[in-house]
Amino acid sequence: MNIFLRKPKGFYDVYLRSPASDKTNTHYCPGCGHGIIHKLIAQAIEDFDIKDRTIMISPVGCSVFVYYYFDTGNVQVAHGRAPAVATGLKRANPDSIVISYQGDGDLAAIGGNNIMQAANRGENITVFFVNNAIYGMTGGQMAPTTMIGQKTMTSPYGRNIYNEGYPLKVVELLATFEATTYLERVSIMDAASINKARNAVRKAIQCQIDNKGFSLVEILSTCPSNWKMSPVEAKKWIKTDMITYFTPHVTKDKINERESHKVEKIRLNSEETKSKLDLPEKRDLVKIDMSSVKEKYKNPRIKIAGFGGQGVLILGNMLAIAGMEEGFNVTWLPSYGPEMRGGTANCHVRIDEKPIGAPSVAKADVLIAMNKPSLEKFEKEEYLESGALLIYNTTLIDIEPSRKDVDIIAIPATKMADDMGDLKVANMIIIGAYMEKTKLINEEALERALQTGVKRKNLMDLNKKAIKAGMDFVKNLK
Amino acid sequence: MPKIEIDANHCKGCGLCIDACPKKVIVFSEDINKLGYHPATPKNEGCIGCGICFYTCPEPESITVYKEDKSA
């Protein structure tokens, strides 16, 4: 006498991850459909000998603890996000077999868009969609797949088509997507149906092993506890009430038509990727002479404000990158409206010898005001420290700063930029002024920042000229 | 003769195997197991080793089916 059928090896012998004292029984209710479906999957994993390369994805729902049971790789994901995580896992490890196990609340409600996009991309993953027409774990609320007239905790008079619409037919919906390969609806209502479900589970996994693309099996399952039925009655209810609407059938089978296509493994840090990204070579930090930087200009909290389009954000960005090239800790926090030009823009920059806790600058040590409203607003005591450095653009600001307790550089940046032939380099003139005044950022560091930040290389010379002009302006003030 | 074994302490007494068995050779036990259920128990006389009980049972460890190896 030989063992013909026994616990599949796709399961752990003992469920050590379960916190329960009984580590050999599942946590499911008596007669729960999950156990039956788990068994079919575990058996397929054993028979295909793919245990060591399978990654099961546990959803949110009663089957959140899939990782207790399956002796495979396991990831538990946020509600409905299994197809997105599966996509990442599969693309990063094309040889793995990624199985997403999801319920109807998870897949059809909160994760509705996730499954549609993954299916539409034709991801080479396998999804087992367990449809029991209800939210089981949370106590039996109505799901998108709840049957017409079915009473649940949140549809106590029964699902009404005029109020909640019709149950969502997931496989039929996904069949309309060009990229899907294999879709079938099965049930576990009787022995013959379970056998069909077993075959469908195997076919779907085989589809992935052969790199044929997206496969999904919808399995009509039971929830005896929330349906308030005995397990035997629940199985009969699938037969009498569910399959009349959710017809079990092969919705789509293009396995034979599809070519085997394996995703290329994504190689991070490869030479090819690096050259495509146009990254600069690794190099040493720019050395600066901190003894020439006055104490009050060290570790500045900088606020830069102006109209959108004046280059306010890039001004801050360049300062931050240059600071980084010198080995400081830096942050750059932009704040702007949805317009590309016009509107107001400001950004907060911190350049610090110590790690930075918060990137936002409530009260600044340095204020760069590119237009009048910015000066009026941010020179107020609540925004600007006493003894701070205030650089403002006199071309656009026809008033004097009211603060007398700060160092002031009044520079006609926009006028100077116009004289140089391009209004847009006003921001670079300001950077030059800031560099000359504080000595915190040197020219070499800024040039490196420009190389990463200025996309149009033909403007490089003009930018450098503008910076020089800004520096000279401050030198001549002395 | 094929036969099945049911591990009483892995049975939650849902009765699905009893309902599904084509030969009706599985019954509820009079005993109460450590989970607090009347577990299913095989009579085995008349078992044809079809495996239907195994596939209808939601508990991985509960039912084991034995059969003559025809290839031997």
Side-chain angles (χ1 to χ4, degrees), chain A residues 234-437:
Chain A
K235 279 200 164 181
K236 293 194 173 121
W237 194 78
I238 300 182
K239 196 174 269 181
T240 55
D241 287 64
M242 281 181 89
I243 62 165
T244 47
Y245 184 86
F246 289 121
T247 327
H249 67 303
V250 180
T251 322
K252 187 170 181 182
D253 181 356
K254 300 241 176 201
I255 292 175
N256 292 329
E257 294 167 40
R258 292 263 192 256
E259 278 180 24
S260 178
H261 174 77
K262 196 169 164 184
V263 250
E264 250 182 79
K265 189 176 167 76
I266 299 162
R267 284 169 212 277
L268 293 174
N269 291 327
S270 76
E271 289 308 311
E272 199 190 356
T273 313
K274 267 193 209 161
S275 69
K276 276 183 183 158
L277 288 175
D278 198 21
L279 296 175
E281 290 299 309
K282 198 179 172 197
R283 55 202 179 187
D284 294 332
L285 296 173
V286 175
K287 287 196 176 64
I288 63 153
D289 178 14
M290 280 303 273
S291 63
S292 66
V293 183
K294 283 187 190 152
E295 203 55 43
K296 62 177 175 178
Y297 296 140
K298 285 180 184 171
N299 307 322
R301 297 156 168 264
I302 308 169
K303 189 175 277 172
I304 305 154
F307 291 124
Q310 278 188 307
V312 165
L313 302 186
I314 197 148
L315 198 169
N317 192 233
M318 290 297 101
L319 286 179
I321 294 175
M324 196 159 59
E325 292 284 355
E326 291 176 349
F328 292 111
N329 296 298
V330 300
T331 58
W332 172 68
L333 185 74
S335 160
Y336 50 89
E339 320 86 339
M340 285 297 283
R341 304 272 185 272
T344 59
N346 69 68
C347 68
H348 303 180
V349 175
R350 293 193 58 185
I351 300 173
D352 213 296
E353 291 162 301
K354 293 198 192 115
I356 296 166
S360 84
V361 175
K363 211 167 175 184
D365 302 318
V366 178
L367 171 62
I368 295 174
M370 298 288 284
N371 66 1
K372 195 171 166 182
S374 301
L375 178 70
E376 285 172 337
K377 180 170 180 189
F378 293 119
E379 71 162 343
K380 287 179 192 158
E381 213 157 309
E382 55 191 297
Y383 296 121
L384 195 61
E385 295 282 1
S386 179
L389 174 63
L390 166 58
I391 303 175
Y392 76 102
N393 177 13
T394 53
T395 319
L396 299 185
I397 302 173
D398 56 4
I399 54 165
E400 298 260 317
S402 63
R403 291 286 291 269
K404 302 298 168 211
D405 58 342
V406 295
D407 291 347
I408 294 171
I409 299 176
I411 179 166
T414 302
K415 172 81 173 54
M416 286 165 72
D418 197 24
D419 291 345
M420 293 172 78
D422 192 339
L423 284 166
K424 291 199 190 76
V425 296
N427 58 349
M428 294 295 154
I429 292 170
I430 300 267
I431 290 184
Y434 175 77
M435 285 161 65
E436 180 62 32
K437 181 75 182 172

Side-chain angles (χ1 to χ4, degrees), chain B residues 14-50:
Chain B
C14 69
L16 289 175
C17 59
I18 295 171
D19 180 66
C21 177
K23 294 293 170 185
K24 301 294 166 207
V25 291
I26 311 173
V27 294
F28 282 117
S29 165
E30 303 268 300
D31 301 336
I32 293 174
N33 68 7
K34 70 169 186 181
L35 300 171
Y37 300 110
H38 287 292
T41 186
K43 289 195 290 190
N44 272 331
E45 220 165 290
C47 174
I48 54 171
C50 64

Side-chain angles (χ1 to χ4, degrees), chain A residues 1-2 4 26 28 39, chain B residues 1 10 12 54 59 65 69:
Chain A
M1 195 71 79
N2 294 319
F4 171 50
T26 64
Y28 297 117
K39 243 178 176 176
Chain B
M1 274 284 284
H10 286 98
K12 290 171 180 166
F54 174 84
E59 272 304 314
V65 184
D69 189 350

Side-chain angles (χ1 to χ4, degrees), chain A residues 67-336:
Chain A
Y67 62 88
Y68 285 177
Y69 308 122
F70 283 88
D71 187 4
T72 59
N74 285 282
V75 181
Q76 199 282 317
V77 302
H79 209 353
R81 272 60 197 154
V85 175
T87 300
L89 290 171
K90 184 70 185 183
R91 290 191 179 194
N93 309 282
D95 288 318
S96 60
I97 303 300
V98 180
I99 298 175
S100 167
Y101 187 104
Q102 299 180 260
D104 47 329
D106 188 77
L107 182 140
I110 192 166
N113 186 41
N114 273 241
I115 192 66
M116 284 203 287
Q117 302 301 340
N120 194 43
R121 290 192 303 267
E123 295 296 339
N124 190 25
I125 57 172
T126 303
V127 182
F128 294 119
F129 168 41
V130 180
N131 176 359
N132 61 8
I134 209 161
Y135 275 86
M137 186 184 73
T138 46
Q141 291 82 1
M142 198 189 82
T145 46
T146 291
M147 305 306 299
I148 298 159
Q150 186 183 345
K151 288 181 181 171
T152 69
M153 186 181 264
T154 48
S155 58
Y157 303 110
R159 180 176 189 154
N160 177 346
I161 54 166
Y162 298 109
N163 203 39
E164 292 95 31
Y166 289 86
L168 195 67
K169 293 184 175 180
V170 170
V171 280
E172 283 85 348
L173 172 71
L174 298 184
T176 63
F177 298 153
E178 202 57 44
T180 49
T181 301
Y182 172 63
L183 304 165
E184 182 168 353
R185 183 186 288 120
V186 294
S187 86
I188 53 160
M189 65 187 176
D190 54 29
S193 302
I194 292 173
N195 196 34
K196 273 190 186 165
R198 180 174 177 270
N199 291 336
V201 164
R202 298 167 94 85
K203 202 168 167 182
I205 295 175
Q206 189 66 50
C207 174
Q208 183 180 172
I209 293 172
D210 296 340
N211 296 310
K212 294 293 184 85
F214 185 87
S215 55
L216 179 143
V217 181
E218 173 174 345
I219 305 163
L220 302 178
S221 184
T222 58
C223 183
S225 298
N226 284 309
W227 291 359
K228 304 186 183 3
M229 295 176 193
S230 77
V232 173
E233 284 168 353
K235 279 200 164 181
K236 293 194 173 121
W237 194 78
I238 300 182
K239 196 174 269 181
T240 55
D241 287 64
M242 281 181 89
I243 62 165
T244 47
Y245 184 86
F246 289 121
T247 327
H249 67 303
V250 180
T251 322
K252 187 170 181 182
D253 181 356
K254 300 241 176 201
I255 292 175
N256 292 329
E257 294 167 40
R258 292 263 192 256
E259 278 180 24
S260 178
H261 174 77
K262 196 169 164 184
V263 250
E264 250 182 79
K265 189 176 167 76
I266 299 162
R267 284 169 212 277
L268 293 174
N269 291 327
S270 76
E271 289 308 311
E272 199 190 356
T273 313
K274 267 193 209 161
S275 69
K276 276 183 183 158
L277 288 175
D278 198 21
L279 296 175
E281 290 299 309
K282 198 179 172 197
R283 55 202 179 187
D284 294 332
L285 296 173
V286 175
K287 287 196 176 64
I288 63 153
D289 178 14
M290 280 303 273
S291 63
S292 66
V293 183
K294 283 187 190 152
E295 203 55 43
K296 62 177 175 178
Y297 296 140
K298 285 180 184 171
N299 307 322
R301 297 156 168 264
I302 308 169
K303 189 175 277 172
I304 305 154
F307 291 124
Q310 278 188 307
V312 165
L313 302 186
I314 197 148
L315 198 169
N317 192 233
M318 290 297 101
L319 286 179
I321 294 175
M324 196 159 59
E325 292 284 355
E326 291 176 349
F328 292 111
N329 296 298
V330 300
T331 58
W332 172 68
L333 185 74
S335 160
Y336 50 89

Side-chain angles (χ1 to χ4, degrees), chain A residues 11-115:
Chain A
F11 289 120
Y12 287 115
D13 288 338
V14 182
Y15 311 132
L16 292 172
R17 287 181 174 146
S18 166
S21 57
D22 177 359
K23 294 193 192 301
T24 51
N25 274 309
T26 64
H27 71 290
Y28 297 117
C29 305
C32 176
H34 279 309
I36 298 170
I37 298 161
H38 280 18
K39 243 178 176 176
L40 301 178
I41 298 170
Q43 207 183 40
I45 289 172
E46 178 185 353
D47 292 352
F48 292 158
D49 196 19
I50 51 171
K51 200 163 97 165
D52 291 339
R53 60 184 182 121
T54 298
I55 304 170
M56 290 288 293
I57 303 184
S58 317
V60 169
C62 290
S63 50
V64 66
F65 296 133
V66 155
Y67 62 88
Y68 285 177
Y69 308 122
F70 283 88
D71 187 4
T72 59
N74 285 282
V75 181
Q76 199 282 317
V77 302
H79 209 353
R81 272 60 197 154
V85 175
T87 300
L89 290 171
K90 184 70 185 183
R91 290 191 179 194
N93 309 282
D95 288 318
S96 60
I97 303 300
V98 180
I99 298 175
S100 167
Y101 187 104
Q102 299 180 260
D104 47 329
D106 188 77
L107 182 140
I110 192 166
N113 186 41
N114 273 241
I115 192 66

